[in-house]
Amino acid sequence: MKKILCVFMGLAVSLAVKAFVVNVSDLPEAVIKHPVKIVSQLDNKTIDSIQPEGKNAVLHGTLAKAELCKLTYSFDITGGVRTNFIPVFLDAGNDTVSFRFTENFENGGVVVAGGELNDRREAIWKNMENLKRDDRVEYIKKQAMENISNPLGVYLVSVLSSSLSPDIWMGLYHEMPADLAEYPMLRNEAERLRAVEATEEGRMFQDMPCLTPDGKQVNLSDYLGKGKYVLLDFWASWCGPCRKEAKEVLMPLYEKYKDNDNFSIIGIMNSDSTEKHLEALKSINYPWQQLIDSERLSAKTFGFQFIPFIILVAPDGKILRRNLRGEEIWKYVDDVLDK
């Protein structure tokens, strides 16, 4: 009886997990030098990897259900190796999927064909060719709703993250089944938007731990909400635009108000190691207070995607302005200090 039960259970598992095949063709010489992989975008695990021996390769794998994955490939560039990825839907036992590399492979020039969801996505992009930008956003939103229960919906909702208001995007996200909402590309965006809402203009700043350059553990609350206006400049040692903004805007602003007890500038270094931050501070030597986000919490706490990210905080700790750049910084600082 136990043997029959084991055979039955094994048969059930084999029926639930289906195989897929991915054919890759016209691999350029630069790509053949490196492994080509199929990676799940749900858990970032490699499903199959192959070191090509010629211009064609075949990858295999098994899935319990349709999944949004990616084909990753690498090639040499000046000073290192670059890795690209191409999104693909693997339909767990449906049609074979093929990737054909083109001469533009360095910029993602890989043609995907086969599989119901891949074909559906291609049809969506083709239908958008003659639509205006606003109409395209509405069209993708409509297609996302129609595919909200499959991995194509995951892809389309992710694409819309930069085109929809946070409220509308979160509405789409909450319509998704729980298993699809767990895709990191969606979950991370949802967490970011919650952080944006928590730190929107008019709300109190969110506290977070930092280090001073001499290694002392402090919090933002040691500097904010203490009766003066504070300009927070989130930057990184490797960020050229951050240094440009500091040189052309923040430095003159500091010189103008360095003797004003109602205003200060604080730099928050993030997105790099503490060691590299300290090296940068030695070479740049900014005159205003610098703090190091050693736990890399800045982006999660304030919900920003790009640096420099600059905000103006009121004396009571409320956020007055987010995403300040260039002349806007001077405008708002001058306005509040003149008052």
Side-chain angles (χ1 to χ4, degrees):
M1 181 66 181
K2 289 183 178 180
K3 182 180 290 187
I4 294 174
L5 181 60
C6 289
V7 171
F8 177 78
M9 291 177 64
L11 179 60
V13 171
S14 66
L15 289 174
V17 179
K18 299 181 181 180
F20 66 81
V21 178
V22 173
N23 291 322
V24 185
S25 62
D26 296 340
L27 283 163
E29 288 295 329
V31 176
I32 292 174
K33 298 178 182 179
H34 303 276
V36 177
K37 303 177 182 180
I38 289 291
V39 179
S40 168
Q41 295 207 51
L42 182 58
D43 57 16
N44 206 37
K45 292 182 178 178
T46 298
I47 300 174
D48 195 18
S49 175
I50 190 170
Q51 178 64 59
E53 296 182 356
K55 291 189 174 182
N56 301 319
V58 181
L59 296 106
H60 305 269
T62 57
L63 293 171
K65 57 184 178 180
E67 231 179 86
L68 174 56
C69 299
K70 58 186 176 183
L71 177 89
T72 69
Y73 61 94
S74 303
F75 50 92
D76 296 333
I77 59 173
T78 302
V81 176
R82 176 178 166 183
T83 298
N84 284 356
F85 75 88
I86 306 297
V88 60
F89 303 99
L90 297 178
D91 295 346
N94 287 355
D95 298 335
T96 297
V97 176
S98 66
F99 289 87
R100 180 176 58 81
F101 279 70
T102 70
E103 293 181 355
N104 193 33
F105 73 91
E106 293 182 355
N107 298 313
V110 182
V111 179
V112 185
E116 179 186 354
L117 296 182
N118 294 306
D119 293 342
R120 201 182 299 177
R121 179 183 60 182
E122 291 304 309
I124 289 172
W125 295 145
K126 187 171 181 60
N127 290 339
M128 287 199 305
E129 289 178 358
N130 297 320
L131 295 178
K132 296 179 180 179
R133 185 185 182 282
D134 290 344
D135 293 337
R136 289 182 179 184
V137 171
E138 284 303 311
Y139 176 70
I140 296 176
K141 181 183 171 185
K142 180 176 181 293
Q143 295 300 316
M145 287 300 300
E146 291 180 2
N147 292 278
I148 204 71
S149 297
N150 67 58
L152 179 55
V154 173
Y155 176 81
L156 295 174
V157 172
S158 176
V159 168
L160 288 167
S161 64
S162 60
S163 303
L164 297 178
S165 68
D167 288 346
I168 295 177
W169 191 91
M170 288 295 286
L172 280 176
Y173 176 70
H174 289 308
E175 288 289 329
M176 308 199 78
D179 59 330
L180 297 182
E182 281 303 304
Y183 271 86
M185 63 178 67
L186 298 183
R187 189 179 67 245
N188 293 343
E189 179 66 6
E191 290 175 356
R192 187 188 73 81
L193 291 177
R194 293 187 188 107
V196 170
E197 181 181 14
T199 58
E200 64 187 7
E201 295 173 1
R203 297 210 174 190
M204 292 294 293
F205 74 93
Q206 296 290 304
D207 205 6
M208 55 175 274
C210 296
L211 287 177
T212 61
D214 60 4
K216 180 182 177 182
Q217 186 75 50
V218 295
N219 294 305
L220 283 186
S221 55
D222 295 326
Y223 302 88
L224 304 182
K226 302 298 183 182
K228 64 167 60 178
Y229 293 95
V230 180
L231 195 70
L232 285 182
D233 171 33
F234 293 87
W235 67 290
S237 58
W238 47 263
C239 175
C242 297
R243 297 192 186 198
K244 185 174 186 292
E245 189 83 273
K247 179 181 179 181
E248 297 179 359
V249 180
L250 300 188
M251 192 67 77
L253 189 68
Y254 171 82
E255 291 297 328
K256 180 178 180 179
Y257 291 114
K258 64 183 179 181
D259 296 324
N260 190 320
D261 293 335
N262 294 320
F263 176 72
S264 66
I265 301 174
I266 299 177
I268 312 287
M269 302 191 73
N270 66 99
S271 303
D272 211 341
S273 68
T274 299
E275 292 74 18
K276 290 184 178 179
H277 288 322
L278 291 174
E279 290 176 9
L281 287 177
K282 288 179 181 178
S283 63
I284 302 174
N285 195 29
Y286 289 134
W288 52 86
Q289 174 71 55
Q290 293 292 331
L291 301 175
I292 298 173
D293 175 16
S294 58
E295 298 183 28
R296 302 190 181 190
L297 297 174
S298 297
K300 291 182 179 180
T301 302
F302 289 90
F304 60 84
Q305 294 174 294
F306 308 104
I307 51 177
F309 175 72
I310 299 174
I311 64 177
L312 180 61
V313 181
D316 61 358
K318 290 182 179 178
I319 295 174
L320 291 179
R321 296 292 176 192
R322 285 177 56 105
N323 298 315
L324 288 172
R325 294 296 301 274
E327 294 181 0
E328 281 190 329
I329 300 173
W330 277 80
K331 177 184 182 301
Y332 288 111
V333 171
D334 284 345
D335 282 350
V336 296
L337 293 182
D338 284 347
K339 292 176 183 178

